[in-house]
Amino acid sequence: MRKTFALHPGRLGLSDLRRLAADDLRLVLAADSDGGIAAGRRLIDTVIEEGKTTYGVNTGFGSLSNTSIAKDDLAELQRRLVLSNAAGTGPPLPDAVVRLILCLKINTLAGGRSGVRRELVDALLALYNAKVVPLIPAKGSVGASGDLAPLAHLAVALIGEGDVRLEGETLTAREGLARTGLVPFRLAPKEGLAMVNGTQMSTALAVAGLFAVEAVFAATIVAGALSVEAALGQHMAFDPRIHQARGQRGQVDVAAALCTLLAGSDLRDVAAREGRLQDPYCLRCQPQVMGACLDHFRHGAEIIAREVNAATDNPLVFAEDGDILYGGNFHAEPVGLASDSIALALSEIGAMAERRVAMLTDANHSLLPPFLVRGGGLDSGFMVAQVTAAALASENKGLAFPATADSIPTTANHEDFVSMSARAAYRLEEMADNAAAIAAIELLAACQGLEFRRPARSSKPLEAAVAAVRERVPAYDTDRFFAPDLAAIKDLVRGGRFLDLVPASLRLTS
């Protein structure tokens, strides 16, 4: 029997979302959640009965908001809204991301600020629990007025239009609903607008990006420590007194993590005898660079965690005051700027890891054989692996350009300044995948470098990291097909294999 996760609207944490993404859980509303939904809906029903002009309930949308809609057409208004807004394009979002979107939409609607019926929330829960995944194109949102087109594709699947995926098979929405015993939902006044308004797509993509970043960051911390060992780097650079003298939190935490990873290594004394007086920045300045990146990741995670529970519809219903207020919480600038900040830091950690790969393969700096092979000439070793790392680092630098720096007016200039949050968050997955490959190349290179330091042993946690790599990829005696080795260790990185080797203080979503 599937375990159940009780959702308390407005109290959903990043760790909850990670659990929901990882485990097969049935989602239900907590028993005390219905009051806010019912109160919000009563206020919407009241304004309909009184004929009070209310945006999105009995008016047109966007620049057509001054057009009044007859009472008999209010439900049809909502159906036509979601159909016309479902204008996305591009590849479909991954199923895991769509399920995150669905979970976030349930969370915000169940808070009662959108004025929807409990029936709509229950229909979305049924869709989630039946694992019917609406086919949502990745492109078409500018992040204001919410993620209109993508969220409309979610809504049209609910009403039996468009396509869905079920157990990996693409079906029409009607067929997918029928196979799971569900029926197309009929939207009531305000409910179509509540479905398409909001930042849930941008936020879900940012959450998925954070999950990926967290795993890559841990791997680059471990890989950086292994590179210190392989290149006979000086541990002194991580002395806590240096970092406390500056006082930057991320820097202090990364230095402490590196000290913990390196503690007890035989190679410390070898480095003191045979290493450099001062190491290249890619080794010595890891706390300063990686710590600054950690600070950006943490800041972004804090903003995204708040957005997970945000009411981002318009208008918003405050039943306790009898008010329906028009505003702009659908504007996803917080998510866009947070994602841009994460992207910039993600580019940096990959760029620094690539520099360590370059250093390890350069005999003039690494104190190791050229390209990490004994038979240089006949064997090329890690020569082109470093080229791949360089290509990926360069690609990430281009992808890191801030999406929020752009704005294009839409809807006849009524929505005249937009966030581009969807693009800001969407590229995090691609960037994390690139950075994971760079981290995998560094892990392979550092482990290979350590082969030349034997019989000296590194620390217990770093030898555990070496063992994890060696379970998948043996040491290089001669050249061999490199791509499968890279893919194997990249899978370890993406799978979070190195998370347990770094302190909990470096986690972003716990």
Side-chain angles (χ1 to χ4, degrees):
M1 180 179 291
R2 292 169 69 187
K3 293 182 180 179
T4 295
F5 181 92
L7 173 64
H8 296 266
R11 291 160 52 188
L12 194 59
L14 294 176
S15 59
D16 296 327
L17 292 173
R18 180 178 278 284
R19 183 182 168 206
L20 285 165
D23 300 331
D24 182 19
L25 300 176
R26 183 172 175 270
L27 191 61
V28 299
L29 281 190
D32 59 353
S33 302
D34 194 49
I37 303 173
R41 187 64 204 179
R42 280 195 297 271
L43 185 54
I44 293 295
D45 289 340
T46 297
V47 300
I48 293 172
E49 288 304 313
E50 294 176 351
K52 183 178 178 180
T53 299
T54 304
Y55 173 72
V57 177
N58 48 22
T59 73
F61 305 100
S63 60
L64 300 175
S65 59
N66 291 324
T67 303
S68 295
I69 306 299
K71 187 176 180 179
D72 290 346
D73 291 331
L74 298 187
E76 178 64 14
L77 172 71
Q78 303 299 311
R79 189 184 77 87
R80 293 189 189 186
L81 172 69
V82 299
L83 291 172
S84 67
N85 278 208
T89 188
L93 292 174
D95 289 1
V97 171
V98 176
R99 285 176 61 77
L100 270 175
I101 295 170
L102 188 51
C103 181
L104 296 181
K105 181 57 79 173
I106 292 167
N107 184 44
T108 189
L109 294 182
R113 295 297 181 202
S114 289
V116 303
R117 296 169 299 159
R118 174 63 190 259
E119 289 90 335
L120 174 57
V121 177
D122 287 342
L124 292 171
L125 284 167
L127 203 66
Y128 183 93
N129 291 325
K131 300 181 183 178
V132 177
V133 181
L135 209 67
I136 300 180
K139 300 180 181 182
S141 172
V142 296
S145 160
D147 295 312
L148 294 173
L151 294 178
H153 282 272
L154 174 64
V156 295
L158 187 69
I159 68 172
E161 301 287 347
D163 295 319
V164 299
R165 277 194 292 256
L166 182 64
E167 298 178 343
E169 185 181 359
T170 300
L171 308 166
T172 66
R174 286 186 179 274
E175 185 177 359
L177 293 172
R179 283 196 191 182
T180 54
L182 303 177
V183 297
F185 186 78
R186 182 171 172 78
L187 295 166
K190 178 65 169 65
E191 290 181 338
L193 182 62
M195 285 295 298
V196 303
N197 256 341
T199 65
Q200 287 78 39
M201 180 234 198
S202 295
T203 305
L205 287 167
V207 169
L210 270 177
F211 293 160
V213 166
E214 186 174 52
V216 172
F217 185 73
T220 53
I221 292 290
V222 173
L226 285 169
S227 291
V228 169
E229 296 285 80
L232 297 183
Q234 302 300 331
H235 296 196
M236 181 191 301
F238 314 126
D239 189 302
R241 292 170 292 182
I242 296 172
H243 308 287
Q244 289 164 1
R246 192 178 204 181
Q248 294 288 354
R249 180 188 167 203
Q251 178 177 329
V252 170
D253 290 348
V254 168
L258 289 168
C259 284
T260 299
L261 285 170
L262 293 163
S265 170
D266 298 343
L267 288 161
R268 180 183 186 122
D269 292 337
V270 179
R273 294 192 309 268
E274 302 175 17
R276 297 159 293 269
L277 180 64
Q278 288 199 115
D279 294 317
Y281 290 176
C282 66
L283 297 180
R284 188 179 6 142
C285 295
Q286 289 184 76
Q288 289 80 3
V289 175
M290 299 292 283
C293 293
L294 177 59
D295 284 336
H296 276 264
F297 292 148
R298 284 170 167 166
H299 177 65
E302 181 181 340
I303 291 171
I304 292 161
R306 287 197 294 265
E307 195 72 7
V308 162
N309 293 299
T312 56
D313 196 0
N314 178 56
L316 290 175
V317 177
F318 295 86
E320 64 273 28
D321 304 315
D323 289 329
I324 298 176
L325 304 180
Y326 309 141
N329 277 6
F330 50 68
H331 201 293
E333 193 80 5
V335 181
L337 286 172
S339 297
D340 279 344
S341 180
I342 291 167
L344 184 61
L346 183 53
S347 177
E348 287 290 274
I349 67 171
M352 193 178 215
E354 183 279 324
R355 287 293 80 204
R356 289 191 296 270
V357 174
M359 181 273 301
L360 288 171
T361 56
D362 184 347
N364 295 314
H365 293 286
S366 66
L367 309 177
L368 292 164
F371 303 109
L372 301 173
V373 286
R374 295 188 190 279
L378 180 61
D379 289 318
S380 297
F382 280 70
M383 182 186 293
V384 177
Q386 184 270 325
V387 174
T388 296
L392 295 171
S394 179
E395 186 173 319
N396 270 3
K397 291 172 188 178
L399 288 168
F401 186 85
T404 50
D406 185 34
S407 177
I408 298 177
T410 61
T411 321
N413 286 305
H414 187 71
E415 297 164 4
D416 58 349
F417 191 87
V418 301
S419 72
M420 298 300 179
S421 59
R423 171 60 187 160
Y426 182 63
R427 65 33 159 118
L428 293 179
E429 164 58 30
E430 182 179 1
M431 293 184 69
D433 196 65
N434 288 342
I438 298 170
I441 292 169
E442 184 184 1
L443 286 163
L444 288 166
C447 288
Q448 180 68 7
L450 283 173
E451 298 293 332
F452 299 103
R453 305 301 182 197
R454 301 305 190 196
R457 306 285 292 176
S458 184
S459 66
K460 184 176 180 180
L462 290 181
E463 289 294 347
V466 173
V469 172
R470 289 290 172 250
E471 285 174 6
R472 299 284 191 98
V473 176
Y476 296 85
D477 295 322
T478 61
D479 283 348
R480 62 172 183 264
F481 188 18
F482 199 96
D485 295 346
L486 171 54
I489 305 309
K490 181 181 166 185
D491 283 347
L492 284 184
V493 173
R494 293 298 313 257
R497 176 63 178 81
F498 301 97
L499 281 166
D500 290 339
L501 293 178
V502 300
S505 62
L506 302 193
R507 298 291 291 265
L508 303 173
T509 62
S510 58

PDB file of all heavy atoms in Angstrom, residues 104 134 206 302 328 403 505:
ATOM      1  N   LEU A 104       2.647  21.937  -6.369  1.00  0.00           N
ATOM      2  CA  LEU A 104       2.672  23.347  -5.973  1.00  0.00           C
ATOM      3  C   LEU A 104       1.332  24.020  -6.239  1.00  0.00           C
ATOM      4  O   LEU A 104       0.891  24.881  -5.453  1.00  0.00           O
ATOM      5  CB  LEU A 104       3.782  24.081  -6.723  1.00  0.00           C
ATOM      6  CG  LEU A 104       5.220  23.638  -6.427  1.00  0.00           C
ATOM      7  CD1 LEU A 104       6.209  24.470  -7.234  1.00  0.00           C
ATOM      8  CD2 LEU A 104       5.536  23.737  -4.941  1.00  0.00           C
ATOM      9  N   PRO A 134       0.082  15.683 -17.157  1.00  0.00           N
ATOM     10  CA  PRO A 134      -0.216  16.525 -18.320  1.00  0.00           C
ATOM     11  C   PRO A 134       1.045  16.821 -19.131  1.00  0.00           C
ATOM     12  O   PRO A 134       2.130  17.014 -18.572  1.00  0.00           O
ATOM     13  CB  PRO A 134      -0.770  17.806 -17.685  1.00  0.00           C
ATOM     14  CG  PRO A 134      -1.319  17.365 -16.361  1.00  0.00           C
ATOM     15  CD  PRO A 134      -0.380  16.279 -15.896  1.00  0.00           C
ATOM     16  N   ALA A 206      12.823  25.747 -10.680  1.00  0.00           N
ATOM     17  CA  ALA A 206      13.872  26.205  -9.771  1.00  0.00           C
ATOM     18  C   ALA A 206      14.124  25.187  -8.665  1.00  0.00           C
ATOM     19  O   ALA A 206      15.276  24.948  -8.282  1.00  0.00           O
ATOM     20  CB  ALA A 206      13.491  27.552  -9.175  1.00  0.00           C
ATOM     21  N   GLU A 302      16.436  30.042  -0.202  1.00  0.00           N
ATOM     22  CA  GLU A 302      15.530  30.701   0.747  1.00  0.00           C
ATOM     23  C   GLU A 302      14.368  31.378   0.018  1.00  0.00           C
ATOM     24  O   GLU A 302      13.209  31.262   0.424  1.00  0.00           O
ATOM     25  CB  GLU A 302      16.320  31.726   1.556  1.00  0.00           C
ATOM     26  CG  GLU A 302      15.504  32.461   2.602  1.00  0.00           C
ATOM     27  CD  GLU A 302      16.322  33.494   3.354  1.00  0.00           C
ATOM     28  OE1 GLU A 302      17.565  33.398   3.348  1.00  0.00           O
ATOM     29  OE2 GLU A 302      15.710  34.406   3.948  1.00  0.00           O
ATOM     30  N   GLY A 328      -0.251  41.966  -8.088  1.00  0.00           N
ATOM     31  CA  GLY A 328       0.648  41.362  -9.070  1.00  0.00           C
ATOM     32  C   GLY A 328       1.537  40.262  -8.517  1.00  0.00           C
ATOM     33  O   GLY A 328       2.682  40.126  -8.946  1.00  0.00           O
ATOM     34  N   ALA A 403      18.684  35.883 -17.266  1.00  0.00           N
ATOM     35  CA  ALA A 403      17.442  35.944 -18.044  1.00  0.00           C
ATOM     36  C   ALA A 403      16.604  37.145 -17.646  1.00  0.00           C
ATOM     37  O   ALA A 403      15.901  37.729 -18.478  1.00  0.00           O
ATOM     38  CB  ALA A 403      16.652  34.650 -17.844  1.00  0.00           C
ATOM     39  N   SER A 505      25.612  21.070   6.795  1.00  0.00           N
ATOM     40  CA  SER A 505      25.526  22.521   6.634  1.00  0.00           C
ATOM     41  C   SER A 505      25.647  22.961   5.168  1.00  0.00           C
ATOM     42  O   SER A 505      25.279  24.080   4.823  1.00  0.00           O
ATOM     43  CB  SER A 505      26.624  23.215   7.450  1.00  0.00           C
ATOM     44  OG  SER A 505      27.908  22.822   6.997  1.00  0.00           O
TER      45      SER A 505
END
